[in-house]
Amino acid sequence: MRLGVEEMLGALNAALGPGGPVWFKETRARHLRVRDFLAPRRALEARFGDDQVPERVVHAIVGLQGPGVAPVLSCAPTPAGLALQLRRSAVFERVLGAVAAYAAPIVPAAPGPRVVLHCPALRGSPCALRLSQLRAVLVADHLARALHAHRVSVRLVPAVRDPHMPTFLQQLRVDWPAASERAATEALRSRALAELTPARNAEALPPGALGRVYLKELVDERGRTTGYDPNLDSCLGRTRSLAGPESSRTPHSPPASALCVLFAVTEDLLAVLAELQQAVQDWAEDSSLGLAAAPDAGADSCMVVHVVSCEEEFQQQKLDLLWWKLDDQAPLRQKHLVCGPVKVAGAPGTLTAPEYYELRHAQVCKASALKRSRDLAQDSAWMEIFRVLSVATIKFEMLSTAPQSQLLLALADSSISTKGTKSGTFVMYNCARLATLFESYKCSMEQGLYPSFPPVSSLDFSLLHDEGEWLLLFNSILPFPDLLSQTAALPCTAPGLHITVRTEMVCKFLVQLSMDFSSYYNRVHILGEPRPHLFGQMFARLQLLRAVREVLHTGLAMLGLPPLSHI
């Protein structure tokens, strides 16, 4: 069975007896030189008083066994607390002997909730896409990939209709469906005409208005006031365009009248509701995963997550309420994932998403031309690499910060340098270094310098004793499946309107993995001299880096990025 950090922490805390969690996993290199887990002294004093931890407890910890629990080498009191070290050679053997189990998401035993991911920003054209909306699009795409990887059935709304949007999304390596036909709106239109409160005289409403919907009463009667804007009161049905002045409001700024919030009920708006309605009612089998809808596939068995920029949230709140007003089968669980604003240092706030992409692409091309002292614009293979690097730069910039927080972009050329350790370019550079390493081994083997790779079961992992090797395994390979699970975790039953997700975790993880690998690779010569007595350690190290490569590739796939073989 796969070893797991969560399983290990659970067993360690259980061994201490009743009480809250005490143990934590070490991550810093200087601490990992002497221990792998620590129960802090003060926490132990609160549990056991001033007395030492009973010997029987320490003995039980040393002998820990169970599913997912790693073998323990020692457990001893230190000034910092109770320090535990694992039998590292055994852990290396267990993990590196089953790399596939650690480089892939944990598939749950039971299917998760059905999720509709709704990203309103995709209803416009690329040239109108603001950076805050681009951020919402990238968050939605990343979350969809994480959910799919955990076998969650996901529907993506809206299907894009602007003729230029599919090309732009393909350029960004965002996987989103395109529209084939519009959902029927007749039933919603009939219900809207029946539900709207008509004006007492024709002059009370603007031309083309259908009537007034009182939203605050709906919020109050359903008990969903938590998280909704207090200015939500009423909704005036009109036939003007949905993309009016309302769409540019900040999320909590009051409307022109606190007593009457004007809302455009148009054919376009009814089409929005119809598409959401259809996504819930006609839950089709997910052909890519081979999963059918659950037997209880009703409105109550799914959750709708609206991934919106902070400027779009107020409008989306009104749409939520109108959906409940016009559709008795609308899902009870509608959640808002609100992405914080994007500020650009030293640039006007009008920079659009396509302009941002073109800027990053030009910077990548310029940096590569300077590095190689020649222009590669006519080389199609290199231009494809530059496109990947441009998208990697953008996605790591947009996704490395928690989505609900404000994001500050720096547009200087330094953001795309392989020398920096925080950028997507740096991660892709180390991906290429790994590919080059294994290609070098393959070429040397074909020349007869090295033997073919032996069976993994025959490798001696006790030869891995460099601290960088344990850092890579313990901080990157071992916890990777748990990290993916946390990325895909949706707080389905959390109270209130808003939810938070951890979409920043994968980018931060890949950056740290690349830093640890780069440090190790710069210090340790992997492909040593072709001497038989050195082959054992070389193959053990190559197997470790195989695992690093697989984890890196899986992480990049969660971002829609392909691995690169050279840069």
Side-chain angles (χ1 to χ4, degrees), residues 182-494:
R182 284 182 175 267
T185 61
E186 289 78 7
L188 285 171
R189 167 177 268 279
S190 298
R191 180 67 180 269
L193 293 173
E195 291 287 344
L196 292 174
T197 302
R200 295 182 179 180
N201 55 73
E203 295 180 358
L205 296 175
L210 302 177
R212 191 182 307 281
V213 175
Y214 292 95
L215 299 179
K216 191 171 184 180
E217 290 181 3
L218 180 64
V219 175
D220 292 341
E221 82 179 40
R222 297 207 177 192
R224 297 192 183 89
T225 54
T226 304
Y228 279 92
D229 193 299
N231 294 303
L232 284 171
D233 185 7
S234 64
C235 177
L236 182 64
R238 298 179 60 186
T239 56
R240 62 180 174 83
S241 168
L242 183 62
E246 290 280 8
S247 63
S248 61
R249 287 173 23 80
T250 57
H252 299 295
S253 59
S257 170
L259 299 177
C260 176
V261 178
L262 297 181
F263 194 53
V265 179
T266 65
E267 289 297 336
D268 286 342
L269 177 59
L270 293 178
V272 170
L273 293 177
E275 191 170 11
L276 286 166
Q277 183 185 61
Q278 182 174 328
V280 173
Q281 292 179 347
D282 303 331
W283 200 271
E285 183 174 337
D286 190 329
S287 58
S288 64
L289 297 176
L291 293 177
D296 61 344
D300 291 347
S301 66
C302 82
M303 178 170 68
V304 179
V305 178
H306 304 286
V307 186
V308 295
S309 66
C310 55
E311 298 92 348
E312 296 168 320
E313 193 204 359
F314 188 81
Q315 187 84 346
Q316 186 58 50
Q317 288 188 20
K318 293 188 288 185
L319 184 64
D320 290 3
L321 298 174
L322 193 62
W323 189 6
W324 279 318
K325 185 74 173 177
L326 301 183
D327 182 6
D328 294 333
Q329 300 301 313
L332 297 179
R333 289 185 293 175
Q334 292 192 60
K335 299 290 187 180
H336 284 212
L337 172 53
V338 182
C339 297
V342 178
K343 305 294 183 182
V344 180
T350 57
L351 190 69
T352 66
E355 290 169 344
Y356 173 46
Y357 173 84
E358 292 300 330
L359 173 66
R360 287 297 184 224
H361 185 259
Q363 289 172 335
V364 167
C365 293
K366 177 182 176 182
S368 298
L370 291 173
K371 182 178 179 180
R372 292 168 181 81
S373 301
R374 62 191 180 99
D375 186 2
L376 298 170
Q378 304 304 316
D379 190 316
S380 59
W382 274 108
M383 290 307 295
E384 176 61 20
I385 290 174
F386 297 160
R387 284 189 285 269
V388 172
L389 290 176
S390 303
V391 174
T393 300
I394 290 171
K395 288 193 172 185
F396 274 81
E397 284 179 327
M398 287 280 181
L399 296 174
S400 293
T401 301
Q404 62 271 18
S405 302
Q406 176 175 298
L407 176 63
L408 180 64
L409 287 181
L411 299 182
D413 290 4
S414 58
S415 300
I416 51 88
S417 171
T418 60
K419 302 296 184 182
T421 58
K422 303 295 184 182
S423 68
T425 308
F426 176 72
V427 174
M428 302 306 290
Y429 168 66
N430 282 284
C431 178
R433 294 174 85 185
L434 272 166
T436 301
L437 169 68
F438 283 98
E439 183 62 28
S440 297
Y441 164 72
K442 179 182 176 183
C443 292
S444 297
M445 182 192 68
E446 292 172 348
Q447 295 170 10
L449 296 177
Y450 299 132
S452 59
F453 207 96
V456 175
S457 58
S458 69
L459 299 180
D460 183 3
F461 292 110
S462 66
L463 298 173
L464 297 178
H465 44 69
D466 186 275
E467 69 175 36
E469 292 157 356
W470 182 246
L471 202 66
L472 285 168
L473 183 123
F474 194 60
N475 280 352
S476 298
I477 302 168
L478 183 63
F480 184 59
D482 290 328
L483 177 134
L484 292 179
S485 295
Q486 293 172 43
T487 302
L490 284 177
C492 302
T493 59

